[in-house]
Amino acid sequence: MMDENKQINNTSQQLGEPTEVKQAMKSDSPAQINFNESGSEVTEQVASQANVSGDAATINAETGVAATDNTGVETAALAELTQQIESLKTQLEERSTQYMRIAADFENYRKRTSKEKEELETLMKRNTILELLPVVDNFERARAHLKPQSDGEMTMHKSYQGVYKQLVDSLKRLGVSPMRPEGQEFDPNLHEAVMREPTDEHPEGTVLEELVRGYYLGERVLRHAMVKVAAPKEDTPSTEQDQSSQAFS
């Protein structure tokens, strides 16, 4: 047995094996050697895992801090954006209110100027027609008083009556229409009483005759009609005196 060990030693020396291998080969407990080697490997693995866990914990801590910072930044940015949106909404409401107010003012201005323009046009038309009405009155007086006898007079009568008719048609196109107050109740908004005639045939205040014709311009009074109005007929004072004298006799 000793000879075999010597041979092994000699062979190991010749092959250049390390002393630890030789000692291991000489050892009588190979299981113990394997146990020591496995323990060292487990220790290294545990250390490695501990290092990895530590690194992971460090990373997680840093990530948590970064996430907290990011959340704070996002919250501040969101609050700022919300404030800007509210400010823009307020500005939009103010601009909308201003626009509506300006639009309403412009619409009122447009209506007012349109109405003023219509009133000015009506006033100018009224003044122009009022200047022409005396001409119409003269034509009507001439037609009422002139009685043509000869053919020449009839020809002249027809000629100026043609001019009168043309003038009246032009006034009608402008919206002028004559009043017809005969037989109506006196209205101070339409008529001007220049004469009173006592009568029993008509009620008091009835228009008996139109002395100067009145006219409308549209629905407005262009010129009041000058009229004669019925008045109650008074009893004669002589009859009353005769009756009183007979009573004292």
Side-chain angles (χ1 to χ4, degrees):
M1 186 66 153
M2 294 178 62
D3 294 334
E4 291 179 356
N5 290 332
K6 289 180 180 181
Q7 291 179 358
I8 291 171
N9 292 330
N10 292 329
T11 303
S12 296
Q13 290 177 357
Q14 292 176 358
L15 295 175
E17 293 178 351
T19 306
E20 289 84 0
V21 174
K22 291 188 291 182
Q23 290 177 357
M25 291 176 64
K26 290 180 180 180
S27 176
D28 293 335
S29 57
Q32 184 177 0
I33 295 172
N34 292 332
F35 174 79
N36 292 331
E37 292 177 356
S38 298
S40 62
E41 291 177 357
V42 170
T43 303
E44 292 177 356
Q45 291 178 357
V46 171
S48 298
Q49 292 178 357
N51 292 331
V52 170
S53 299
D55 295 338
T58 303
I59 293 172
N60 290 332
E62 294 176 353
T63 305
V65 173
T68 304
D69 295 338
N70 291 333
T71 303
V73 172
E74 291 176 356
T75 303
L78 182 60
E80 185 178 358
L81 290 175
T82 304
Q83 185 177 1
Q84 291 179 359
I85 291 172
E86 294 297 330
S87 177
L88 291 175
K89 285 182 179 180
T90 304
Q91 293 179 6
L92 179 60
E93 291 177 357
E94 292 178 355
R95 297 297 186 274
S96 299
T97 304
Q98 291 177 359
Y99 171 76
M100 294 176 65
R101 186 181 297 110
I102 293 172
D105 292 341
F106 177 76
E107 183 65 19
N108 293 332
Y109 170 77
R110 187 186 65 80
K111 291 181 180 179
R112 185 172 62 254
T113 53
S114 178
K115 184 177 180 180
E116 291 176 354
K117 182 179 179 181
E118 291 178 358
E119 291 178 352
L120 181 60
E121 291 178 353
T122 302
L123 181 61
M124 294 176 62
K125 185 189 297 185
R126 175 188 176 89
N127 293 335
T128 303
I129 295 172
L130 284 174
E131 293 294 330
L132 295 176
L133 289 182
V135 180
V136 178
D137 296 337
N138 291 330
F139 273 112
E140 291 179 351
R141 292 190 187 97
R143 185 179 61 177
H145 292 89
L146 295 178
K147 303 296 181 181
Q149 301 295 329
S150 63
D151 293 338
E153 292 178 354
M154 182 61 66
T155 302
M156 185 179 297
H157 177 75
K158 289 181 179 179
S159 63
Y160 79 75
Q161 286 299 316
V163 177
Y164 167 72
K165 185 178 184 301
Q166 184 178 2
L167 179 59
V168 170
D169 292 339
S170 299
L171 294 176
K172 287 181 179 179
R173 286 192 295 269
L174 293 174
V176 179
S177 59
M179 295 181 183
R180 305 295 181 185
E182 290 88 349
Q184 297 180 3
E185 186 179 358
F186 176 78
D187 186 354
N189 295 320
L190 303 176
H191 312 138
E192 181 180 354
V194 294
M195 292 181 64
R196 289 171 60 89
E197 181 178 336
T199 180
D200 292 334
E201 298 179 358
H202 300 280
E204 182 182 3
T206 303
V207 177
L208 299 178
E209 182 182 358
E210 185 182 33
L211 302 177
V212 178
R213 178 163 295 177
Y215 290 93
Y216 295 104
L217 179 59
E219 297 180 354
R220 297 182 178 182
V221 177
L222 178 61
R223 187 178 72 178
H224 291 75
M226 296 183 181
V227 297
K228 180 169 61 175
V229 183
K233 193 173 183 179
E234 298 178 356
D235 295 334
T236 56
S238 59
T239 305
E240 295 178 356
Q241 291 177 359
D242 292 339
Q243 292 177 355
S244 62
S245 62
Q246 290 177 0
F248 285 104
S249 59

